[in-house]
Structure formats: C-alpha cells, structure tokens
Amino acid sequence: MTADGIGKQTVRDINVQGERVLLRADLNVPLDDGAVADDTRIRESLPTIQYLTQGGASVLVCSHLGRPRGERNADLSLAPVGERLAELLGQPVAFAEDCIGPPAVEVAQGLGAGDVALLENLRFHAGEEANDRIFAAVLGTLATVYVNDAFGAAHRAHASTVGVANLLPSVAGLLLEKEVRYLGSLVADPPRPFSAIVGGAKVSTKIAAIDHLLPKLDRLLVGGGMANTFLKAKGVDVGASLVEDDLLDMARDILARADAAGVTVSLPEDAVVATRLSPDAEADTVPIDAFPPDRMILDVGPATLTSFEAALADTAAVVWNGPLGVFEIEQFAGGSFGLARALAELDATTVVGGGETAAVVARSGLAERFTHVSTGGGASLEMLEGRELPGVAALLDA
C-alpha cells in the first residue's frame, strides 16, 4: 500500500484543466414512478464531479441502471437521475439520449470547462457487460481522461470499468479511493482489537470473506440465517430454521480454526421465532437451548444483542456485513436496527459493507455516525474476501 492507501493514482495526482473526463459513476439508484426514490449514490458521486469541474475539466458521467440486458428500456432511462444530479449540483446537466454514437458525441463536444453531462444507460448496449473491445473503444473516444468512481461496479470487468480504463489515462475518483481505503487497508492492517460481524441468509455467500478475515480478527460475531448453520454444527436443534446442511463440516472447521487462533466467536443466545416468514406471523422470543421444533429463527433476540454489545465494547475497529434478521419485516428487524444503534455509539472505526447492511444503516438514520458506509454490496464483499477488483486493477499504479 502507498500513502494514498490504495496503491493507485487518483484525481489528485493529475491535472484535469482543459480535459474532457469520462467519469464512471455508480448511479444505479431506485426509481419510483419515474423519479429517484433514493439519491444516496448520486450524492456520493458529487465530491468527485465537483473536484473535476473546479479543476477546469468538462465531465461526461456514465453509469448503468438496472438490468436491461442490452436492450433499450424506457423504464431504466437515466434521464430522471440526470435531473436529480442537476438539482444536487446546482447547475445544468446535459443529457445524451445514448452513451455512444451521434447523441453522445454531440453532447460531449458541446461541453466547456466546468460543464457536466450524463450519458444514457450503458447497459442498453450488450457490449457493456461483455466488455466488448469495440464498444469500449467508441466510448473512450468521447474523452481524454478516464476516472472510475463506481465502486459498486468495480468488481465487474465491463467495458466502462475495465475496457475504457485500458485505453485512456485512468485514475480513481474520491469515492472509489475512500471505499478501497476503508475496506482494503483496514482489513490489511487493522487496529486492535478488530472485530467482524457477519450476517445474512447463507454461510455459502460469506465463506470466502470469513476465511480471509479470520487470521486478522480478534472477535467474530455471527448472526442472520447463516448463524443457524453454525448453531446446528455445535449440536443446537434449530427446528425449522434455514440451515445449509452441506456446510456443517465447514462451519465446524471455521469454529475450530477460530478457537486455535484465539478468535472469540459469538453466536445467538436467543432468537425471535415464528412458524412462517410473514408480516402477520405470531413472533416469540426464545432461548437457543429451548427451541420449539416447529419454529424458524427470523431474528436475534435481546440477550444476543446484549452479548454482542459486550463483545464489541472495547473494539478499536469493526466491519459489519449482513443483517441479523429479516429486517424488511418489522417484527424481525429489532436485531439489525439494535446493532446499528449500538455500533453508532462505539468509539471505534466502524465500517459497513454495502447492500442490505447499508440499507439497514440508512433506514436507522444513523449513517453519519459510522466511519464509512459502503455503496457497493458485491464489491465490498469481494474486498472482504481479499480479492482484487478488476475496475481498480485497471487503473494507473501510484
């Protein structure tokens, strides 16, 4: 790692005066009736856009939205995103009806220093996800410099994340730099004690992350549906709960390795249970050692939250990936939101992996009290697995 923390050049390392910058942002935001329903990712892109425009560059923003699978889909147009971006920037944002071809060329050539434009959805072209060489080359002709600020797409080897980066002088944006620094450098050389909270539905989706984190951890806290597999591996009867029976030996191996390495593992001590996953299901809280055979675990209980808080009381840094229960349903959301409140109170470096965990923190209204909340679900998980992201690897070395 270099002083910038990511080993790659960033926008701070280049002079953008008079340059036309192709900025790959992650503006994959939810829409509701043609309007932006959550502008978090748009707001996160603002610092890099403003840094570039204030430096004298013209900025051509590109992004994907949804999964149109290579076909034009009016419901997945970035036009509403462009309108919201203009509002947040406080300046006009020109919109190109396509990301390549005459509409894109006309808009790009009309930009002056400090101007911003947004290209239409990259995934309207199959060449984007295929990392098609010709599509990348045509996209690259629109600019003189490339900046990747789309952490949420950096784990994909697409034309706009890798193809163009191999054709133009390519550096990281401020958001990408921040994401890689917190999720990469923190795990590489964490302050002690270092803790990880891993949740979500399945162990299978988190095995690689646990394997990578385990030698670096002091404490591992496991919740969510994946905790059921660990509990059953320890001989606990978890009734009708989701369990990955084919991974019981894997869970035992992780527990044994943690014990040998001196890593404290915390599992649920009680659970919120029901006979079915439904908003109108009758929920009860039961201790893990007195589990009703016809019930399923859908959240952790208050005793678990208390024990998790105690385990984290003196931690210097913690990374959290995966909710502790089915937080989308109110009666099974207490564990996840309770944990968010507890982490917000810690005097520690608190880093949240993206996806559902970021959604929990956002809905709790506590995001500003965390050190870093990632904008990328899959990308953050791959970083926790110790994998190099193609969109980062393609950038110029520091």
Side-chain angles (χ1 to χ4, degrees):
M1 289 290 176
T2 58
D4 65 12
I6 70 169
K8 295 292 180 177
Q9 291 189 39
T10 76
V11 288
R12 297 189 186 89
D13 297 313
I14 59 172
N15 181 6
V16 297
Q17 178 71 45
E19 302 286 356
R20 187 188 299 152
V21 175
L22 181 67
L23 173 66
R24 177 51 161 106
D26 181 9
L27 306 182
N28 184 30
V29 299
L31 301 178
D32 185 11
D33 288 332
V36 173
D38 180 352
D39 63 9
T40 301
R41 286 180 170 171
I42 304 175
R43 290 179 181 275
E44 292 284 356
S45 73
L46 299 181
T48 297
I49 296 173
Q50 292 167 333
Y51 183 91
L52 292 168
T53 56
Q54 290 166 9
S58 55
V59 182
L60 199 57
V61 184
C62 64
S63 177
H64 73 283
L65 178 63
R67 296 177 176 175
R69 305 194 185 284
E71 297 182 0
R72 185 170 288 272
N73 181 339
D75 292 335
L76 295 176
S77 172
L78 279 166
V81 177
E83 294 172 5
R84 184 60 182 144
L85 178 61
E87 293 173 358
L88 293 171
L89 283 173
Q91 71 176 82
V93 173
F95 184 70
E97 300 291 339
D98 202 347
C99 60
I100 58 172
V105 172
E106 182 179 349
V107 167
Q109 292 181 345
L111 295 176
D115 289 344
V116 179
L118 176 64
L119 301 176
E120 183 56 284
N121 195 335
L122 292 161
R123 291 189 183 174
F124 284 177
H125 295 266
E128 160 63 0
E129 292 188 86
N131 192 15
D132 180 76
R133 181 174 55 85
I134 295 175
F135 178 77
V138 174
L139 190 62
T141 61
L142 298 173
T144 56
V145 171
Y146 170 80
V147 174
N148 190 346
D149 211 29
F151 177 74
H155 62 311
R156 307 295 189 194
H158 292 170
S160 67
T161 58
V162 171
V164 177
N166 291 323
L167 301 173
L168 294 173
S170 302
V171 300
L174 302 177
L175 174 61
L176 185 70
E177 177 192 16
K178 181 172 70 170
E179 293 271 19
V180 175
R181 185 171 68 245
Y182 278 117
L183 287 164
S185 300
L186 174 67
V187 173
D189 186 21
R192 300 290 184 176
F194 179 42
S195 307
I197 306 160
V198 185
K202 295 184 176 182
V203 181
S204 53
T205 62
K206 303 289 171 70
I207 287 174
I210 293 173
D211 279 342
H212 182 63
L213 288 169
L214 200 57
K216 308 166 189 297
L217 289 176
D218 298 292
R219 289 157 199 160
L220 174 64
L221 295 77
V222 184
M226 64 180 292
N228 306 339
T229 300
F230 282 90
L231 289 168
K232 187 171 182 179
K234 293 189 69 174
V236 176
D237 182 356
V238 293
S241 304
L242 169 71
V243 172
E244 292 175 277
D245 287 310
D246 58 327
L247 293 178
L248 290 173
D249 286 341
M250 175 70 72
R252 293 186 190 101
D253 177 64
I254 290 171
L255 292 171
R257 284 190 285 132
D259 184 59
V263 179
T264 303
V265 178
S266 297
L267 294 172
E269 299 177 7
D270 62 346
V272 179
V273 300
T275 56
R276 56 197 171 90
L277 176 56
S278 171
D280 59 359
E282 184 177 339
D284 294 306
T285 300
V286 299
I288 287 298
D289 59 3
F291 202 89
D294 62 336
R295 306 296 174 91
M296 62 179 74
I297 297 174
L298 297 171
D299 192 14
V300 300
T304 301
L305 263 183
T306 299
S307 70
F308 278 16
E309 289 176 26
L312 295 167
D314 67 343
T315 196
V318 57
V319 59
W320 176 23
N321 188 285
L324 301 187
V326 187
F327 73 95
E328 297 89 348
I329 297 177
E330 184 177 357
Q331 64 220 60
F332 310 124
S336 299
F337 288 111
L339 180 62
R341 289 190 292 271
L343 292 179
E345 296 293 331
L346 288 180
D347 181 17
T349 298
T350 49
V351 175
V352 175
E356 291 183 329
T357 327
V360 169
V361 173
R363 284 174 52 180
S364 73
L366 298 169
E368 292 183 358
R369 295 174 63 181
F370 284 76
T371 307
H372 180 65
V373 179
S374 180
T375 58
S380 65
L381 186 57
E382 289 197 14
M383 287 222 69
L384 294 177
E385 294 170 359
R387 295 166 62 178
E388 185 173 48
L389 307 186
V392 176
L395 303 176
L396 291 171
D397 290 334

